[in-house]
Protein backbone atom coordinates (compact mmCIF):
# COMPACT_ATOMS: atom_id res chain seq x y z
CA UNK A 1 0.00 0.00 0.00
CA UNK A 2 1.06 3.60 -0.71
CA UNK A 3 0.44 6.26 1.93
CA UNK A 4 -0.10 9.76 0.53
CA UNK A 5 0.32 12.90 2.59
CA UNK A 6 -1.02 16.29 1.63
CA UNK A 7 -1.76 19.36 3.71
CA UNK A 8 -5.29 19.21 2.30
CA UNK A 9 -6.98 16.04 1.06
CA UNK A 10 -9.44 16.92 -1.69
CA UNK A 11 -11.73 14.75 -3.80
CA UNK A 12 -9.53 15.54 -6.77
CA UNK A 13 -6.42 14.30 -4.96
CA UNK A 14 -8.11 11.07 -3.89
CA UNK A 15 -9.40 10.48 -7.41
CA UNK A 16 -6.08 11.18 -9.13
CA UNK A 17 -3.99 8.98 -6.87
CA UNK A 18 -6.52 6.15 -7.05
CA UNK A 19 -6.52 6.52 -10.83
CA UNK A 20 -2.76 5.94 -10.96
CA UNK A 21 -2.30 3.43 -8.16
CA UNK A 22 -5.61 1.55 -8.10
CA UNK A 23 -6.96 1.71 -11.66
CA UNK A 24 -3.64 1.46 -13.52
CA UNK A 25 -1.07 -0.03 -11.13
CA UNK A 26 -3.60 -2.22 -9.27
CA UNK A 27 -2.35 -1.25 -5.80
CA UNK A 28 -3.93 0.19 -2.67
CA UNK A 29 -3.52 3.79 -1.62
CA UNK A 30 -4.39 5.61 1.61
CA UNK A 31 -4.39 9.30 2.54
CA UNK A 32 -3.52 11.45 5.53
CA UNK A 33 -3.23 15.15 6.26
CA UNK A 34 -1.46 14.41 9.57
CA UNK A 35 2.26 15.01 9.06
CA UNK A 36 3.25 13.23 12.29
CA UNK A 37 1.26 10.14 11.32
CA UNK A 38 2.88 10.24 7.90
CA UNK A 39 6.43 10.46 9.26
CA UNK A 40 5.89 7.51 11.61
CA UNK A 41 4.38 5.21 8.99
CA UNK A 42 6.42 2.29 7.65
CA UNK A 43 4.45 2.11 4.41
CA UNK A 44 5.93 3.38 1.14
CA UNK A 45 5.09 7.07 1.23
CA UNK A 46 4.46 9.98 -1.11
CA UNK A 47 4.45 13.58 0.03
CA UNK A 48 2.15 15.63 -2.20
CA UNK A 49 2.45 19.03 -0.57
CA UNK A 50 4.33 22.27 -1.12
CA UNK A 51 7.08 21.43 1.37
CA UNK A 52 9.39 18.47 1.77
CA UNK A 53 9.03 16.11 4.70
CA UNK A 54 11.81 14.12 6.35
CA UNK A 55 10.57 10.91 4.79
CA UNK A 56 8.62 9.96 1.68
CA UNK A 57 8.97 10.65 -2.03
CA UNK A 58 8.33 14.30 -2.77
CA UNK A 59 5.95 15.06 -5.64
CA UNK A 60 5.47 18.79 -5.66
CA UNK A 61 1.91 19.75 -6.61
CA UNK A 62 0.64 22.48 -8.86
CA UNK A 63 -2.69 24.10 -8.03
CA UNK A 64 -5.29 22.11 -10.02
CA UNK A 65 -6.09 19.41 -7.48
CA UNK A 66 -6.69 21.97 -4.74
CA UNK A 67 -9.18 23.98 -6.81
CA UNK A 68 -12.94 23.72 -7.14
CA UNK A 69 -14.88 24.54 -10.27
CA UNK A 70 -13.81 24.78 -13.88
CA UNK A 71 -11.77 27.54 -15.45
CA UNK A 72 -9.29 28.07 -18.27
CA UNK A 73 -5.93 26.53 -17.39
CA UNK A 74 -2.52 27.74 -18.51
CA UNK A 75 -1.08 24.72 -20.28
CA UNK A 76 2.59 24.82 -21.24
CA UNK A 77 3.57 21.51 -22.83
CA UNK A 78 7.18 20.35 -22.67
CA UNK A 79 9.03 17.04 -22.95
CA UNK A 80 10.29 14.74 -20.24
CA UNK A 81 11.80 11.34 -21.05
CA UNK A 82 10.62 11.75 -24.67
CA UNK A 83 6.99 12.18 -23.59
CA UNK A 84 4.85 15.30 -23.50
CA UNK A 85 3.86 16.67 -20.10
CA UNK A 86 2.53 19.86 -18.50
CA UNK A 87 1.92 21.61 -15.15
CA UNK A 88 5.63 22.19 -14.63
CA UNK A 89 6.98 22.22 -11.04
CA UNK A 90 10.41 22.79 -9.49
CA UNK A 91 13.30 20.38 -9.99
CA UNK A 92 13.26 19.25 -6.34
CA UNK A 93 10.16 17.20 -7.19
CA UNK A 94 10.51 13.52 -8.15
CA UNK A 95 9.17 14.52 -11.58
CA UNK A 96 9.49 17.97 -13.18
CA UNK A 97 5.72 18.20 -13.64
CA UNK A 98 2.65 17.53 -11.55
CA UNK A 99 1.83 14.13 -12.97
CA UNK A 100 -1.29 13.74 -10.82
CA UNK A 101 -2.77 17.07 -11.91
CA UNK A 102 -1.91 16.40 -15.56
CA UNK A 103 -3.54 12.96 -15.36
CA UNK A 104 -6.63 14.50 -13.74
CA UNK A 105 -6.89 17.16 -16.45
CA UNK A 106 -6.71 14.58 -19.23
CA UNK A 107 -8.84 11.77 -17.83
CA UNK A 108 -11.70 13.95 -16.55
CA UNK A 109 -11.82 15.58 -19.99
CA UNK A 110 -11.49 18.95 -18.28
CA UNK A 111 -11.09 20.73 -21.62
CA UNK A 112 -14.48 19.40 -22.78
CA UNK A 113 -16.20 21.42 -20.08
CA UNK A 114 -14.66 24.66 -21.37
CA UNK A 115 -16.00 26.80 -24.25
CA UNK A 116 -15.32 24.93 -27.48
CA UNK A 117 -16.06 24.52 -31.16
CA UNK A 118 -18.25 21.47 -31.85
CA UNK A 119 -18.95 19.69 -35.13
CA UNK A 120 -22.21 19.40 -37.08
CA UNK A 121 -23.33 16.59 -34.78
CA UNK A 122 -22.63 18.68 -31.68
CA UNK A 123 -19.53 16.70 -30.71
CA UNK A 124 -16.20 17.76 -29.26
CA UNK A 125 -13.69 16.83 -31.95
CA UNK A 126 -10.19 15.40 -31.80
CA UNK A 127 -8.64 18.39 -33.58
CA UNK A 128 -9.82 20.67 -30.75
CA UNK A 129 -8.08 18.56 -28.12
CA UNK A 130 -4.76 19.26 -26.44
CA UNK A 131 -3.63 15.72 -27.24
CA UNK A 132 -4.12 16.18 -30.99
CA UNK A 133 -2.67 19.68 -31.12
CA UNK A 134 0.39 18.65 -29.10
CA UNK A 135 0.77 15.35 -30.98
CA UNK A 136 0.28 12.87 -28.16
CA UNK A 137 -3.20 11.57 -29.06
CA UNK A 138 -1.70 8.24 -30.09
CA UNK A 139 0.11 7.71 -26.79
CA UNK A 140 -1.52 6.35 -23.60
CA UNK A 141 0.34 8.99 -21.62
CA UNK A 142 -1.27 8.28 -18.26
CA UNK A 143 -0.24 4.61 -18.41
CA UNK A 144 3.29 5.65 -19.37
CA UNK A 145 3.41 8.13 -16.50
CA UNK A 146 2.02 5.54 -14.08
CA UNK A 147 4.80 3.12 -14.97
CA UNK A 148 7.34 5.89 -14.39
CA UNK A 149 5.83 6.57 -10.97
CA UNK A 150 6.00 2.85 -10.15
CA UNK A 151 9.70 2.82 -11.05
CA UNK A 152 10.35 5.80 -8.78
CA UNK A 153 8.50 4.13 -5.90
CA UNK A 154 10.45 0.89 -6.43
CA UNK A 155 13.71 2.81 -6.41
CA UNK A 156 12.92 4.30 -3.00
CA UNK A 157 11.04 1.31 -1.61
CA UNK A 158 12.38 -1.94 -3.14
CA UNK A 159 10.02 -3.93 -0.93
CA UNK A 160 7.01 -2.45 -2.74
CA UNK A 161 5.79 -5.02 -5.25
CA UNK A 162 3.25 -3.89 -7.83
CA UNK A 163 0.99 -6.64 -9.21
CA UNK A 164 1.87 -7.87 -12.67
CA UNK A 165 -0.33 -6.29 -15.31
CA UNK A 166 -1.46 -8.16 -18.40
CA UNK A 167 -2.44 -6.88 -21.81
CA UNK A 168 -6.17 -7.17 -22.47
CA UNK A 169 -8.19 -6.91 -25.66
CA UNK A 170 -11.90 -6.15 -25.95
CA UNK A 171 -13.69 -6.40 -29.29
CA UNK A 172 -16.88 -4.36 -29.53
CA UNK A 173 -19.43 -4.50 -32.35
CA UNK A 174 -21.99 -1.75 -32.99
CA UNK A 175 -25.22 -2.77 -34.72
CA UNK A 176 -26.48 0.49 -36.23
CA UNK A 177 -28.25 -1.27 -39.08
CA UNK A 178 -28.65 -5.03 -38.75
CA UNK A 179 -29.71 -5.60 -42.36
CA UNK A 180 -29.10 -3.67 -45.55
CA UNK A 181 -32.38 -4.53 -47.30
CA UNK A 182 -34.44 -7.01 -45.29
CA UNK A 183 -36.92 -6.59 -42.42
CA UNK A 184 -37.41 -2.84 -42.90
CA UNK A 185 -41.14 -2.64 -43.43
CA UNK A 186 -43.03 -1.91 -46.63
CA UNK A 187 -42.55 1.86 -46.63
CA UNK A 188 -38.76 1.76 -46.18
CA UNK A 189 -38.38 -1.12 -48.63
CA UNK A 190 -40.42 0.73 -51.26
CA UNK A 191 -38.49 3.95 -50.72
CA UNK A 192 -35.23 2.04 -51.01
CA UNK A 193 -36.31 0.43 -54.28
CA UNK A 194 -37.30 3.78 -55.78
CA UNK A 195 -34.00 5.31 -54.69
CA UNK A 196 -32.11 2.39 -56.23
CA UNK A 197 -33.98 2.81 -59.54
CA UNK A 198 -33.17 6.54 -59.63
CA UNK A 199 -29.51 6.05 -58.76
CA UNK A 200 -29.18 2.85 -60.74
CA UNK A 201 -26.81 1.26 -58.26
CA UNK A 202 -28.16 -1.77 -56.35
CA UNK A 203 -31.70 -2.42 -57.56
CA UNK A 204 -31.09 -5.98 -58.74
CA UNK A 205 -29.19 -6.79 -55.55
CA UNK A 206 -32.09 -5.55 -53.44
CA UNK A 207 -34.60 -7.63 -55.38
CA UNK A 208 -32.52 -10.82 -55.05
CA UNK A 209 -32.06 -10.31 -51.30
CA UNK A 210 -35.76 -9.59 -50.75
CA UNK A 211 -36.66 -12.73 -52.74
CA UNK A 212 -34.15 -14.75 -50.69
CA UNK A 213 -32.06 -15.37 -53.81
CA UNK A 214 -29.03 -13.59 -52.34
CA UNK A 215 -27.57 -12.96 -48.92
CA UNK A 216 -28.18 -9.60 -47.22
CA UNK A 217 -24.71 -7.97 -47.16
CA UNK A 218 -25.09 -6.63 -43.61
CA UNK A 219 -26.08 -10.05 -42.27
CA UNK A 220 -22.58 -11.08 -41.22
CA UNK A 221 -23.62 -12.51 -37.85
CA UNK A 222 -22.87 -16.16 -38.56
CA UNK A 223 -19.50 -15.12 -40.00
CA UNK A 224 -18.80 -13.11 -36.85
CA UNK A 225 -19.63 -16.11 -34.70
CA UNK A 226 -17.20 -18.31 -36.63
CA UNK A 227 -14.44 -15.69 -36.53
CA UNK A 228 -14.78 -15.07 -32.81
CA UNK A 229 -14.95 -18.78 -32.08
CA UNK A 230 -11.73 -19.34 -34.04
CA UNK A 231 -9.83 -16.68 -32.09
CA UNK A 232 -11.57 -17.35 -28.78
CA UNK A 233 -12.83 -13.76 -28.64
CA UNK A 234 -15.91 -12.71 -26.68
CA UNK A 235 -17.06 -9.41 -28.23
CA UNK A 236 -19.51 -7.00 -26.67
CA UNK A 237 -22.42 -6.02 -28.91
CA UNK A 238 -24.26 -2.69 -28.82
CA UNK A 239 -27.70 -2.55 -30.45
CA UNK A 240 -29.39 0.62 -31.65
CA UNK A 241 -33.06 0.38 -30.63
CA UNK A 242 -34.19 3.94 -31.27
CA UNK A 243 -37.22 4.93 -33.27
CA UNK A 244 -36.56 5.56 -36.96
CA UNK A 245 -35.10 9.01 -37.64
CA UNK A 246 -32.63 10.86 -39.82
CA UNK A 247 -29.65 9.60 -37.80
CA UNK A 248 -31.23 6.43 -36.36
CA UNK A 249 -32.04 3.85 -39.04
CA UNK A 250 -31.93 0.39 -37.55
CA UNK A 251 -34.63 -2.25 -37.94
CA UNK A 252 -37.86 -1.64 -36.03
CA UNK A 253 -37.65 -3.00 -32.51
CA UNK A 254 -41.05 -4.63 -33.12
CA UNK A 255 -39.62 -6.82 -35.89
CA UNK A 256 -39.49 -10.41 -34.68
CA UNK A 257 -36.47 -11.33 -36.78
CA UNK A 258 -34.55 -8.43 -35.24
CA UNK A 259 -35.61 -9.45 -31.74
CA UNK A 260 -34.58 -13.02 -32.48
CA UNK A 261 -31.17 -11.79 -33.65
CA UNK A 262 -30.63 -9.89 -30.40
CA UNK A 263 -31.66 -12.89 -28.30
CA UNK A 264 -29.41 -15.26 -30.23
CA UNK A 265 -26.37 -12.99 -29.82
CA UNK A 266 -27.17 -12.45 -26.14
CA UNK A 267 -27.05 -16.24 -25.69
CA UNK A 268 -23.32 -16.19 -26.46
CA UNK A 269 -22.05 -12.68 -25.80
CA UNK A 270 -22.59 -9.60 -23.66
CA UNK A 271 -25.05 -7.13 -25.14
CA UNK A 272 -25.40 -3.44 -24.35
CA UNK A 273 -27.48 -0.52 -25.51
CA UNK A 274 -26.44 1.83 -28.32
CA UNK A 275 -28.39 4.94 -27.25
CA UNK A 276 -29.84 6.67 -30.31
CA UNK A 277 -28.92 10.09 -31.62
CA UNK A 278 -32.37 11.29 -30.53
CA UNK A 279 -31.86 10.07 -26.96
CA UNK A 280 -29.19 12.71 -26.36
CA UNK A 281 -31.78 15.45 -26.16
CA UNK A 282 -34.39 13.55 -24.13
CA UNK A 283 -33.54 11.22 -21.26
CA UNK A 284 -37.00 9.63 -21.44
CA UNK A 285 -36.04 8.29 -24.89
CA UNK A 286 -32.89 6.78 -23.40
CA UNK A 287 -34.92 5.08 -20.70
CA UNK A 288 -37.37 3.74 -23.27
CA UNK A 289 -34.58 2.25 -25.40
CA UNK A 290 -32.90 0.59 -22.42
CA UNK A 291 -36.23 -0.91 -21.37
CA UNK A 292 -36.73 -2.24 -24.89
CA UNK A 293 -33.46 -4.14 -24.69
CA UNK A 294 -34.26 -5.38 -21.18
CA UNK A 295 -37.60 -6.73 -22.36
CA UNK A 296 -36.07 -8.50 -25.35
CA UNK A 297 -33.20 -10.13 -23.40
CA UNK A 298 -35.05 -10.52 -20.07
CA UNK A 299 -32.00 -9.27 -18.21
CA UNK A 300 -30.60 -6.00 -16.92
CA UNK A 301 -28.71 -3.66 -19.27
CA UNK A 302 -25.52 -2.26 -17.76
CA UNK A 303 -23.33 -1.45 -20.76
CA UNK A 304 -23.63 1.29 -23.38
CA UNK A 305 -22.00 3.16 -26.22
CA UNK A 306 -23.53 6.31 -27.67
CA UNK A 307 -24.63 6.21 -31.31
CA UNK A 308 -22.51 8.68 -33.35
CA UNK A 309 -20.27 8.74 -30.23
CA UNK A 310 -22.32 11.70 -29.04
CA UNK A 311 -20.91 12.69 -25.68
CA UNK A 312 -21.71 15.87 -23.79
CA UNK A 313 -20.14 16.16 -20.35
CA UNK A 314 -21.43 15.71 -17.77
CA UNK A 315 -25.03 15.32 -19.00
CA UNK A 316 -24.56 12.17 -21.09
CA UNK A 317 -22.91 10.26 -18.28
CA UNK A 318 -25.38 11.51 -15.67
CA UNK A 319 -28.25 10.24 -17.81
CA UNK A 320 -26.60 6.84 -18.12
CA UNK A 321 -26.00 6.66 -14.36
CA UNK A 322 -29.65 7.54 -13.72
CA UNK A 323 -30.58 4.58 -15.90
CA UNK A 324 -28.34 2.11 -14.04
CA UNK A 325 -25.64 1.89 -16.70
CA UNK A 326 -22.37 0.89 -15.02
CA UNK A 327 -19.98 0.63 -17.99
CA UNK A 328 -19.74 3.00 -20.95
CA UNK A 329 -17.63 2.47 -24.07
CA UNK A 330 -18.07 5.86 -25.80
CA UNK A 331 -14.73 7.42 -24.87
CA UNK A 332 -13.00 7.89 -28.21
CA UNK A 333 -13.17 10.09 -31.29
CA UNK A 334 -15.00 9.52 -34.57
CA UNK A 335 -12.49 11.49 -36.60
CA UNK A 336 -9.15 10.26 -35.23
CA UNK A 337 -7.80 7.03 -33.74
CA UNK A 338 -5.99 7.20 -30.43
CA UNK A 339 -6.67 7.86 -26.78
CA UNK A 340 -9.25 10.57 -26.13
CA UNK A 341 -8.58 10.52 -22.37
CA UNK A 342 -4.85 9.69 -22.83
CA UNK A 343 -5.32 6.35 -21.07
CA UNK A 344 -5.77 2.71 -22.11
CA UNK A 345 -7.18 1.42 -18.82
CA UNK A 346 -10.77 1.51 -17.56
CA UNK A 347 -11.42 4.34 -15.09
CA UNK A 348 -14.30 5.92 -13.21
CA UNK A 349 -16.09 9.05 -14.35
CA UNK A 350 -15.36 12.10 -12.21
CA UNK A 351 -18.12 14.70 -12.41
CA UNK A 352 -16.34 18.05 -12.42
CA UNK A 353 -19.53 19.99 -11.84
CA UNK A 354 -20.23 18.24 -8.55
CA UNK A 355 -16.61 17.31 -7.70
CA UNK A 356 -17.58 13.69 -7.10
CA UNK A 357 -16.40 10.28 -8.25
CA UNK A 358 -19.18 8.16 -9.73
CA UNK A 359 -19.64 4.41 -10.10
CA UNK A 360 -19.76 4.67 -13.90
CA UNK A 361 -16.73 2.92 -15.34
CA UNK A 362 -15.41 4.30 -18.61
CA UNK A 363 -13.74 1.86 -21.01
CA UNK A 364 -11.97 3.93 -23.69
CA UNK A 365 -11.47 2.61 -27.22
CA UNK A 366 -8.49 3.26 -29.47
CA UNK A 367 -9.66 2.41 -33.00
CA UNK A 368 -12.85 2.32 -35.04
CA UNK A 369 -12.89 1.08 -38.62
CA UNK A 370 -15.26 3.89 -39.70
CA UNK A 371 -12.66 6.47 -38.62
CA UNK A 372 -10.20 5.16 -41.17
CA UNK A 373 -12.80 4.58 -43.89
CA UNK A 374 -14.91 7.73 -43.71
CA UNK A 375 -12.85 10.38 -41.94
CA UNK A 376 -9.24 9.63 -42.86
CA UNK A 377 -10.05 8.00 -46.23
CA UNK A 378 -7.47 5.32 -45.47
CA UNK A 379 -7.02 2.14 -47.45
CA UNK A 380 -7.34 -1.15 -45.56
CA UNK A 381 -3.54 -1.48 -45.71
CA UNK A 382 -3.02 2.00 -44.22
CA UNK A 383 -5.55 1.31 -41.49
CA UNK A 384 -3.90 -1.98 -40.64
CA UNK A 385 -0.53 -0.26 -40.20
CA UNK A 386 -1.92 2.41 -37.89
CA UNK A 387 -3.94 -0.08 -35.87
CA UNK A 388 -0.79 -2.13 -35.32
CA UNK A 389 1.09 0.93 -34.07
CA UNK A 390 -1.64 1.76 -31.56
CA UNK A 391 -1.88 -1.87 -30.51
CA UNK A 392 1.85 -1.97 -29.81
CA UNK A 393 1.55 1.24 -27.78
CA UNK A 394 -1.05 -0.46 -25.56
CA UNK A 395 0.89 -3.72 -25.32
CA UNK A 396 4.00 -1.80 -24.21
CA UNK A 397 2.19 -0.65 -21.06
CA UNK A 398 0.09 -3.82 -20.62
CA UNK A 399 -3.10 -1.84 -21.04
CA UNK A 400 -6.52 -2.63 -22.50
CA UNK A 401 -6.96 -2.29 -26.26
CA UNK A 402 -10.56 -1.77 -27.38
CA UNK A 403 -11.68 -1.80 -31.01
CA UNK A 404 -15.00 -0.77 -32.57
CA UNK A 405 -16.35 -2.60 -35.61
CA UNK A 406 -19.75 -2.77 -37.32
CA UNK A 407 -21.57 -5.72 -38.84
CA UNK A 408 -21.62 -4.16 -42.33
CA UNK A 409 -17.84 -3.62 -42.47
CA UNK A 410 -17.33 -7.38 -42.27
CA UNK A 411 -19.39 -7.96 -45.43
CA UNK A 412 -16.32 -7.56 -47.66
CA UNK A 413 -18.66 -6.01 -50.24
CA UNK A 414 -18.96 -2.60 -51.88
CA UNK A 415 -17.28 0.17 -49.92
CA UNK A 416 -16.18 -2.35 -47.31
CA UNK A 417 -14.23 -4.63 -49.65
CA UNK A 418 -10.97 -5.54 -47.93
CA UNK A 419 -11.98 -4.43 -44.43
CA UNK A 420 -12.86 -7.88 -43.11
CA UNK A 421 -9.19 -8.71 -43.53
CA UNK A 422 -8.23 -5.72 -41.37
CA UNK A 423 -10.32 -7.13 -38.53
CA UNK A 424 -8.92 -10.64 -39.01
CA UNK A 425 -5.37 -9.32 -38.88
CA UNK A 426 -6.19 -7.43 -35.69
CA UNK A 427 -7.53 -10.60 -34.06
CA UNK A 428 -4.46 -12.51 -35.16
CA UNK A 429 -2.22 -9.84 -33.69
CA UNK A 430 -3.97 -9.65 -30.31
CA UNK A 431 -3.88 -13.43 -30.08
CA UNK A 432 -0.09 -13.51 -30.33
CA UNK A 433 2.17 -13.43 -27.26
CA UNK A 434 3.34 -9.95 -26.23
CA UNK A 435 6.88 -10.49 -27.51
CA UNK A 436 5.77 -12.01 -30.82
Amino acid sequence: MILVYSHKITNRIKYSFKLIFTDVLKSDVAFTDNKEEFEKSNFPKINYSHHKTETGIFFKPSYLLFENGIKEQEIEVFEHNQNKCFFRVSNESALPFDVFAASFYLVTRYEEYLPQIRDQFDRFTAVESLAFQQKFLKKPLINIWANEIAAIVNEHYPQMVFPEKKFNYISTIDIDNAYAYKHKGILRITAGMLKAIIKGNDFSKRVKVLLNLAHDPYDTFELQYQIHKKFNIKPIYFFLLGDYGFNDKNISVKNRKFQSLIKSIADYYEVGIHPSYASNSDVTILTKEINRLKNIMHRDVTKSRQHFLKLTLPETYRNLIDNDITHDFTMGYSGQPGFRASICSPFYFYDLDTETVTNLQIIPFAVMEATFKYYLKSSPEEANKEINELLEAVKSVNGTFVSVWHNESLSDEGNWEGWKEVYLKLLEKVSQPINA
Side-chain angles (χ1 to χ4, degrees):
M1 187 186 78
I2 301 288
L3 180 63
V4 176
Y5 165 76
S6 185
H7 55 286
K8 181 181 179 182
I9 306 297
T10 67
N11 285 348
R12 291 185 177 191
I13 287 176
K14 287 182 179 179
Y15 176 79
S16 299
F17 277 84
K18 286 181 178 179
L19 171 74
I20 296 296
F21 286 105
T22 304
D23 295 342
V24 180
L25 297 177
K26 307 302 180 184
S27 298
D28 294 328
V29 59
F31 303 89
T32 182
D33 58 2
N34 187 315
K35 188 181 293 187
E36 184 178 347
E37 176 187 330
F38 178 77
E39 296 285 19
K40 289 181 178 178
S41 174
N42 293 321
F43 286 116
K45 296 180 287 189
I46 287 177
N47 169 17
Y48 187 73
S49 71
H50 295 295
H51 303 286
K52 282 188 172 182
T53 47
E54 292 184 10
T55 58
I57 308 169
F58 182 49
F59 282 88
K60 189 174 179 64
S62 57
Y63 47 85
L64 184 66
L65 300 189
F66 299 97
E67 292 182 343
N68 283 313
I70 305 158
K71 64 181 184 181
E72 290 283 354
Q73 301 291 327
E74 292 184 14
I75 306 292
E76 176 210 346
V77 176
F78 61 100
E79 284 204 3
H80 168 71
N81 286 348
Q82 298 182 315
N83 290 305
K84 300 292 179 68
C85 53
F86 51 99
F87 293 135
R88 190 192 296 269
V89 294
S90 63
N91 291 332
E92 59 183 348
S93 178
L95 288 171
F97 69 107
D98 186 347
V99 62
F100 301 102
S103 297
F104 180 85
Y105 183 86
L106 292 171
V107 85
T108 60
R109 306 309 305 129
Y110 195 104
E111 63 186 342
E112 296 192 34
Y113 287 78
L114 300 170
Q116 60 195 244
I117 298 172
R118 297 175 77 86
D119 70 5
Q120 70 269 34
F121 301 113
D122 192 32
R123 299 177 300 192
F124 181 83
T125 61
V127 296
E128 293 295 317
S129 70
L130 178 70
F132 180 85
Q133 293 171 5
Q134 294 295 331
K135 296 180 172 56
F136 62 83
L137 180 59
K138 296 176 183 178
K139 276 192 172 187
L141 268 188
I142 294 173
N143 297 78
I144 294 169
W145 292 340
N147 288 345
E148 191 169 1
I149 292 169
I152 292 170
V153 171
N154 282 142
E155 183 181 344
H156 286 78
Y157 300 100
Q159 75 275 20
M160 177 67 189
V161 178
F162 290 98
E164 181 182 359
K165 296 178 296 176
K166 292 185 178 181
F167 167 77
N168 184 35
Y169 169 65
I170 302 175
S171 170
T172 65
I173 312 288
D174 288 353
I175 312 299
D176 301 343
N177 200 348
Y179 303 99
Y181 308 128
K182 300 177 75 172
H183 310 303
K184 294 198 172 184
I186 189 65
L187 290 178
R188 288 180 66 187
I189 288 174
T190 302
M193 297 287 277
L194 292 174
K195 185 177 179 181
I197 292 172
I198 294 169
K199 290 193 172 183
N201 49 9
D202 62 352
F203 180 77
S204 61
K205 175 78 171 180
R206 283 176 181 269
V207 172
K208 289 179 181 178
V209 169
L210 293 171
L211 293 175
N212 292 318
L213 299 176
H215 191 75
D216 190 295
Y218 287 8
D219 184 2
T220 60
F221 301 105
E222 178 60 29
L223 170 67
Q224 291 174 49
Y225 174 77
Q226 297 300 332
I227 290 172
H228 296 136
K229 183 179 179 181
K230 174 183 176 182
F231 290 99
N232 194 28
I233 297 291
K234 295 283 189 180
I236 302 172
Y237 282 82
F238 296 98
F239 279 92
L240 175 64
L241 297 182
D243 293 331
Y244 182 81
F246 186 76
N247 292 310
D248 301 311
K249 297 183 178 179
N250 210 343
I251 309 302
S252 169
V253 70
K254 296 178 182 179
N255 184 280
R256 291 187 178 182
K257 289 287 187 181
F258 187 38
Q259 291 185 15
S260 177
L261 171 67
I262 296 171
K263 289 176 182 177
S264 65
I265 288 177
D267 285 341
Y268 294 95
Y269 308 113
E270 290 187 85
V271 170
I273 192 68
H274 200 33
S276 68
Y277 190 94
S279 73
N280 283 271
S281 57
D282 189 342
V283 70
T284 61
I285 296 177
L286 172 65
T287 303
K288 180 173 68 173
E289 292 172 9
I290 291 173
N291 286 334
R292 284 172 172 174
L293 186 55
K294 282 183 182 180
N295 292 334
I296 291 171
M297 299 193 303
H298 302 293
R299 70 180 73 161
D300 289 337
V301 176
T302 60
K303 293 179 171 60
S304 69
R305 177 187 287 122
Q306 297 294 117
H307 188 35
F308 273 73
L309 302 179
K310 270 186 70 64
L311 180 59
T312 302
L313 296 175
E315 292 81 8
T316 300
Y317 284 155
R318 286 178 180 173
N319 290 342
L320 294 175
I321 292 168
D322 289 343
N323 280 276
D324 299 321
I325 297 297
T326 59
H327 297 76
D328 185 70
F329 291 73
T330 308
M331 186 58 69
Y333 290 119
S334 295
Q336 290 287 334
F339 308 97
R340 181 169 180 168
S342 300
I343 191 171
C344 59
S345 298
F347 61 94
Y348 289 92
F349 168 56
Y350 186 95
D351 190 326
L352 279 172
D353 276 352
T354 60
E355 297 290 353
T356 55
V357 186
T358 72
N359 291 323
L360 178 64
Q361 191 174 54
I362 308 303
I363 299 89
F365 71 87
V367 296
M368 178 172 70
E369 93 284 49
T371 301
F372 299 105
K373 175 66 179 173
Y374 294 125
Y375 289 85
L376 302 181
K377 311 298 182 185
S378 303
S379 66
E381 294 74 22
E382 291 168 335
N384 186 61
K385 180 177 182 296
E386 191 151 5
I387 290 171
N388 284 341
E389 290 172 357
L390 289 163
L391 177 60
E392 291 306 314
V394 175
K395 282 187 173 183
S396 71
V397 295
N398 289 317
T400 297
F401 187 86
V402 181
S403 66
V404 182
W405 238 255
H406 295 77
N407 53 300
E408 61 262 36
S409 62
L410 293 169
S411 66
D412 220 20
E413 294 185 26
N415 291 335
W416 289 110
E417 185 176 353
W419 287 88
K420 180 178 75 174
E421 188 65 23
V422 178
Y423 186 59
L424 291 174
K425 286 181 178 179
L426 170 60
L427 298 191
E428 288 173 2
K429 195 76 173 177
V430 299
S431 300
Q432 295 173 357
I434 294 296
N435 58 358

